[in-house]
Amino acid sequence: MAARPPPRSCDTFVALPPAAAGGRVVFGKNSDRPRDEVQEVLHCPAAQHPPGAALQCTYIEIEQVRHTYAVVLSRPSWLWGAEMGANEHGVCIGNEAVWGREEVCDDEALLGMDLVRLGLERADTAEKALTVIVDLLEKYGQGGNCMESHMAFTYHNSFLIADRKEAWVLETSGKYWAAEKVEGGVRNISNQLSITTKIDRQHPELKEYAKSKGWWDGEKEFDFAATYSYVNTARMTTSRGRYCEGYKLLNKHKGSITSETMMEILRDKESGINMEGGFMTTGSMVSVLPQETNLPCIHFFTGTPDPARSVFKPFIFVPDVTQLLKTTSPTFGHDDPVKKQPRFQSKPDRRHELYKKHESAAVAMEAMKDKGKEMLQKIQMLEKSKINEMESILENGCLDTNQVVNLFSQCVEEELKIYSS
């Protein structure tokens, strides 16, 4: 048996009524990646595409669809896909690295992060996004280096997909997959398979393949995580892993989970959810999805590492959103080392303006404790004022689209001012 890599991954959470407050769905994710990797936040408008158009993803080209929905993404700036994001219909997706018995394919195919973006661009509900992802998985497969480095870092993927009404967990092992529908309460995913016996959709050959490999005898109840990985599913929610710690934090706040609660969970360092070290939390996202379709979905992104000293900035989909220039990384066209063969022979400076200022501020916070404390208080006050503003929109149903077009960009400007003071 090949040695398994250390569990370096992320955490994604969802709370549905009655666990979430106010009859809303609350989604949250930390993206844990190599500590020097830049995560950008960008908005891509809806678009029409000609018949037969091709789409270049991170490594491979696939067939484009006629219409793609508007998306807002938080992504490692060297690749095409995204770690997490949302679309104009209130669909949110986050993905995690998972490993199991099935060998991980090193061949270049679709990355899990490509599948996140494709699901968002092509589906207007959570379940349709699941269908988009599994169909693409069947057609093109998953694989390729998930790190901007000549050292290979590859994995299978799990996904948490939510909309205003429900959520789905989709977990994969090569081309095989299982999906679980979440209709109430709380659910989280981390760097392990977690679907056990509640399987609502599955790859048609999921069980037969497990039998052919000798992982399942065909007699006892089929448990996906136990069969396809090395997880003792009886101990999943009691062992000291991040999956278990996330499960505990969600359950601790069950019945009153708000966007602020989700932000607190993502900031939790003791549990390891806010990760530090060689792999760290490089970007975070929280979304509030009201069940009433006349109210807007609100998506908060940091665009900077370590949510404990970052601002969750709100974004709402409206026509003609101001482009998010100060959280968008520079591009290098055909000269990008990711696009050249052999790949990853050098590493350009991908830092966007907010990342640079946040990085300098983090150094200043460490060096001058009093100034650091004061700066932290200011960014916390800025975030709190934005949360209150968003709450007012949701409670009153009053949306000034002229102001909302600049919502995220304006908050970035206010955050930059704090870092420059």
Side-chain angles (χ1 to χ4, degrees):
M1 187 197 304
R4 279 179 296 156
R8 301 182 295 186
S9 182
C10 321
D11 295 274
T12 310
F13 305 89
V14 71
L16 295 96
R24 301 166 187 167
V25 174
V26 183
F27 175 93
K29 174 170 161 65
N30 271 352
S31 170
D32 299 333
R33 304 279 305 164
R35 69 173 298 111
D36 62 345
E37 186 179 78
V38 178
Q39 194 133 155
E40 61 180 344
V41 180
L42 72 159
H43 166 254
C44 306
Q48 293 294 129
H49 307 281
L55 171 65
Q56 181 61 49
C57 299
T58 303
Y59 296 128
I60 66 166
E61 199 175 80
I62 69 168
E63 199 177 326
Q64 181 57 287
V65 292
R66 292 298 302 274
H67 179 78
T68 49
Y69 297 123
V71 296
V72 60
L73 307 169
S74 187
R75 70 171 188 183
S77 54
W78 61 271
L79 50 75
W80 179 83
E83 274 279 286
M84 50 201 172
N87 72 17
E88 61 184 294
H89 295 287
V91 179
C92 299
I93 312 179
N95 85 308
E96 314 291 337
V98 290
W99 295 270
R101 295 182 197 265
E102 184 75 354
E103 287 288 315
V104 175
C105 174
D106 289 334
D107 296 345
E108 291 185 347
L110 289 173
L111 293 179
M113 292 173 277
D114 293 337
L115 290 165
V116 167
R117 179 169 178 175
L118 289 161
L120 291 170
E121 286 190 343
R122 299 179 177 199
D124 58 3
T125 69
E127 188 172 6
K128 282 184 193 169
L130 186 153
T131 301
V132 165
I133 291 170
V134 298
D135 287 352
L136 289 164
L137 192 61
E138 186 70 28
K139 189 170 182 180
Y140 298 103
Q142 60 179 321
N145 195 355
C146 302
M147 198 158 70
E148 189 183 11
S149 167
H150 59 274
M151 288 173 61
F153 178 51
T154 56
Y155 45 78
H156 304 304
N157 289 271
S158 67
F159 305 86
L160 186 49
I161 311 168
D163 62 22
R164 292 175 186 264
K165 293 192 174 71
E166 63 189 32
W168 285 83
V169 175
L170 167 63
E171 298 185 335
T172 71
S173 180
K175 72 170 188 173
Y176 300 97
W177 56 271
E180 173 192 335
K181 188 177 184 181
V182 187
E183 293 174 274
V186 294
R187 186 70 162 84
N188 63 304
I189 59 172
S190 194
N191 55 273
Q192 63 186 60
L193 298 180
S194 63
I195 294 173
T196 57
T197 55
K198 185 186 184 303
I199 301 172
D200 297 299
R201 288 182 58 183
Q202 64 189 52
H203 187 283
E205 293 156 26
L206 182 75
K207 293 179 182 176
E208 279 309 307
Y209 183 71
K211 259 169 87 172
S212 74
K213 298 292 278 187
W215 301 338
W216 180 58
D217 62 9
E219 297 295 321
K220 65 174 183 281
E221 186 178 23
F222 184 80
D223 178 322
F224 176 67
T227 305
Y228 272 80
S229 73
Y230 309 96
V231 175
N232 177 343
T233 57
R235 294 183 61 247
M236 275 198 311
T237 55
T238 55
S239 63
R240 279 281 303 168
R242 278 203 335 277
Y243 173 78
C244 171
E245 294 304 304
Y247 175 82
K248 283 183 194 164
L249 285 168
L250 279 175
N251 278 282
K252 179 181 166 188
H253 299 286
K254 212 169 174 178
S256 59
I257 295 171
T258 62
S259 59
E260 280 186 279
T261 316
M262 195 63 82
M263 289 169 194
E264 276 174 47
I265 291 172
L266 297 182
R267 287 176 166 137
D268 194 281
K269 291 199 172 173
E270 195 184 335
S271 61
I273 287 164
N274 183 2
M275 195 182 267
E276 298 177 285
F279 259 51
M280 72 175 291
T281 299
T282 55
S284 303
M285 167 186 176
V286 167
S287 290
V288 182
L289 316 174
Q291 293 186 308
E292 304 92 326
T293 52
N294 62 310
L295 295 176
C297 295
I298 299 171
H299 312 285
F300 296 86
F301 294 91
T302 61
T304 52
D306 187 359
R309 49 185 178 199
S310 292
V311 178
F312 280 92
K313 297 165 281 293
F315 177 96
I316 296 175
F317 284 96
V318 288
D320 305 316
V321 167
T322 304
Q323 283 308 298
L324 316 184
L325 299 176
K326 294 191 177 175
T327 56
T328 302
S329 293
T331 54
F332 302 92
H334 294 298
D335 294 329
D336 197 311
V338 177
K339 296 193 168 94
K340 292 177 170 179
Q341 294 285 1
R343 300 193 199 275
F344 307 119
Q345 297 304 294
S346 62
K347 218 177 202 180
D349 184 352
R350 299 188 187 275
R351 294 174 303 162
H352 49 73
E353 188 172 339
L354 179 65
Y355 187 99
K356 286 179 183 174
K357 291 280 169 58
H358 181 270
E359 191 176 40
S360 301
V363 172
M365 280 178 175
E366 288 298 323
M368 297 174 282
K369 296 294 180 191
D370 287 346
K371 185 179 166 75
K373 200 173 172 185
E374 188 187 330
M375 203 180 278
L376 190 60
Q377 283 173 341
K378 283 181 179 174
I379 66 171
Q380 286 168 346
M381 282 167 62
L382 170 61
E383 181 182 278
K384 183 68 179 168
S385 73
K386 296 298 173 185
I387 291 170
N388 291 343
E389 206 179 303
M390 295 308 102
E391 192 55 40
S392 170
I393 287 171
L394 291 176
E395 283 181 6
N396 303 323
C398 186
L399 190 68
D400 181 344
T401 51
N402 293 326
Q403 281 191 319
V404 172
V405 291
N406 298 313
L407 185 63
F408 186 88
S409 301
Q410 184 57 44
C411 191
V412 170
E413 292 295 346
E414 290 172 56
E415 185 180 353
L416 287 168
K417 271 186 199 156
I418 294 169
Y419 296 147
S420 300
S421 61

